[in-house]
Amino acid sequence: MALLLGIRRPLSFAAQRLHQRCFSTSLPNFKEEQKMSCMETGGSSSFIHPSAVVHPDAILVGPSANLGNGCQLYPGSHVCGHTKIGDDCTLMMGAVVGDDLPGSTVIGNNNLIGHHAVVGIKCQDLKYKPGNECFLEIGDNNEIREYVSIHRSSHPDEKTIIGANNLIMGSCHIAHDCKMGNYNIFANNTLLAGHVNVENYTHTAGATVIHQFCHIGSFSFIGGGSVVSQDVPKYTMVSGERAELRGLNLEGLRRRGFSVGEIKSLRTAYRKIFMPSEGSCHSIEDRLTELEKDDELGQVAAVCLMVESIRDSFAEDRRGICKFRSRVGS
């Protein structure tokens, strides 16, 4: 039997608007009009099953929650703690958003939180000190599918951040203090450890594991089953049990509208950096410098961004780039 603990305070106007939207159910003993009836505060609900034990003042939304207009909460979903949800968001059955912790969870507009997803709860980091504030911010138009877990930050000075227009497929995990940009696609069971930085338009295949503090550059692709323990430069493709560079993400670049000329320049630059001519003894730093000084390639914005992405990965506080095999290629 279900037991819901009541919260003895009235809902905010936004929460009342939410509860006045329909919470559909499939219980067989209800009339059709009762199935689509709406929960009203201060009165009895007409769609609670007779076998349920429910406090007369029970509500689905915590007293500190702030819900936008047009939201839909399906049965078994919960909004807890200091949580703000924007307009037109949907929480599917069993979804949990927020936690009764100091700090907050803030979600933008038009987001889908899938079945049994858990978003904005305490991190799994022993460095977190009970009582510290922790934060999660999510932008607009994200699809966060079933059984995804996204955790708040581990430190009051940090935030876990998810941008906009991302697709996070089933059973993915995004740990504390991760920073994720826009238009990314994470296939099922992609797992991000803490402090991972993901830029924009990246794509992971299924069962990808990314080590803490790694940076994943824009327009990159990570092959299925890969274990990424170092940075993935912009525009590149990696795969492997210990992921190695496999070339440029050519198909991804074409799909995202890169011109033939830009792709040709990137391919030439990639060869100069990672596939130097035989007998070349220059270091990778020397090869990057040569590219920057090249009269043609040094003027191509995409090439400059790739060089910058690689060079940044060799900073003292970074993990370096995924391994590559220096060899002559076509």
Side-chain angles (χ1 to χ4, degrees), residues 9 18 29 31 75 86 116 121 123 154 200 234 236 266 269 273 278 289 321 323:
R9 62 179 293 174
L18 170 67
N29 296 330
K31 297 178 181 178
H116 302 284
I121 66 168
C123 66
S154 62
N200 306 309
K234 277 183 169 72
T236 62
L266 284 169
I273 298 169
E278 293 183 7
T289 301
I321 62 173
K323 290 181 171 54

Side-chain angles (χ1 to χ4, degrees), residues 173-191:
H173 173 66
I174 300 176
H176 58 89
D177 307 296
C178 286
K179 306 290 188 293
M180 181 176 175
N182 308 317
Y183 295 99
N184 297 289
I185 300 174
F186 286 178
N188 301 70
N189 295 293
T190 292
L191 310 178

Side-chain angles (χ1 to χ4, degrees), residues 1-55:
M1 296 196 303
L3 176 61
L4 302 180
L5 297 180
I7 303 175
R8 292 182 176 271
R9 62 179 293 174
L11 289 174
S12 65
F13 175 75
Q16 291 181 47
R17 288 287 302 275
L18 170 67
H19 280 282
Q20 288 166 2
R21 297 185 66 86
C22 294
F23 291 84
S24 61
T25 180
S26 59
L27 294 174
N29 296 330
F30 292 174
K31 297 178 181 178
E32 188 62 25
E33 61 269 24
Q34 289 176 316
K35 291 182 183 180
M36 300 306 293
S37 65
C38 299
M39 181 179 288
E40 300 288 342
T41 59
S44 61
S45 171
S46 62
F47 68 86
I48 298 175
H49 193 271
S51 67
V53 179
V54 182
H55 191 283

Side-chain angles (χ1 to χ4, degrees), residues 29-245:
N29 296 330
F30 292 174
K31 297 178 181 178
E32 188 62 25
E33 61 269 24
Q34 289 176 316
K35 291 182 183 180
M36 300 306 293
S37 65
C38 299
M39 181 179 288
E40 300 288 342
T41 59
S44 61
S45 171
S46 62
F47 68 86
I48 298 175
H49 193 271
S51 67
V53 179
V54 182
H55 191 283
D57 295 332
I59 60 176
L60 291 173
V61 181
S64 301
N66 187 333
L67 306 177
N69 295 323
C71 292
Q72 299 183 57
L73 270 66
Y74 282 76
S77 58
H78 299 269
V79 182
C80 310
H82 294 277
T83 298
K84 180 177 180 180
I85 298 179
D87 297 342
D88 301 311
C89 291
T90 300
L91 275 61
M92 302 304 294
M93 287 187 292
V96 177
V97 177
D99 203 345
D100 290 317
L101 296 169
S104 63
T105 297
V106 179
I107 297 179
N109 301 323
N110 195 38
N111 290 289
L112 170 70
I113 312 297
H115 299 78
H116 302 284
V118 181
V119 175
I121 66 168
K122 177 183 172 183
C123 66
Q124 299 174 149
D125 187 350
L126 294 177
K127 295 190 297 294
Y128 174 76
K129 296 180 180 179
N132 276 359
E133 291 187 321
C134 48
F135 302 94
L136 167 66
E137 292 185 1
I138 297 178
D140 301 333
N141 306 314
N142 295 289
E143 186 171 351
I144 300 170
R145 294 298 300 269
E146 58 275 8
Y147 297 101
V148 167
S149 57
I150 303 176
H151 291 173
R152 289 202 211 172
S153 60
S154 62
H155 193 274
D157 295 333
E158 293 284 346
K159 294 179 181 179
T160 304
I161 297 177
I162 310 295
N165 300 289
N166 298 291
L167 171 57
I168 304 173
M169 300 186 197
S171 301
C172 290
H173 173 66
I174 300 176
H176 58 89
D177 307 296
C178 286
K179 306 290 188 293
M180 181 176 175
N182 308 317
Y183 295 99
N184 297 289
I185 300 174
F186 286 178
N188 301 70
N189 295 293
T190 292
L191 310 178
L192 273 61
H195 302 278
V196 171
N197 191 317
V198 180
E199 295 182 358
N200 306 309
Y201 295 100
T202 69
H203 192 167
T204 71
T208 294
V209 179
I210 302 178
H211 193 282
Q212 61 191 21
F213 292 102
C214 283
H215 285 234
I216 311 300
S218 296
F219 302 99
S220 59
F221 179 84
I222 302 176
S226 297
V227 177
V228 178
S229 56
Q230 293 177 288
D231 292 358
V232 179
K234 277 183 169 72
Y235 313 124
T236 62
M237 178 170 58
V238 302
S239 67
E241 189 275 330
R242 279 292 182 265
E244 296 183 359
L245 283 165

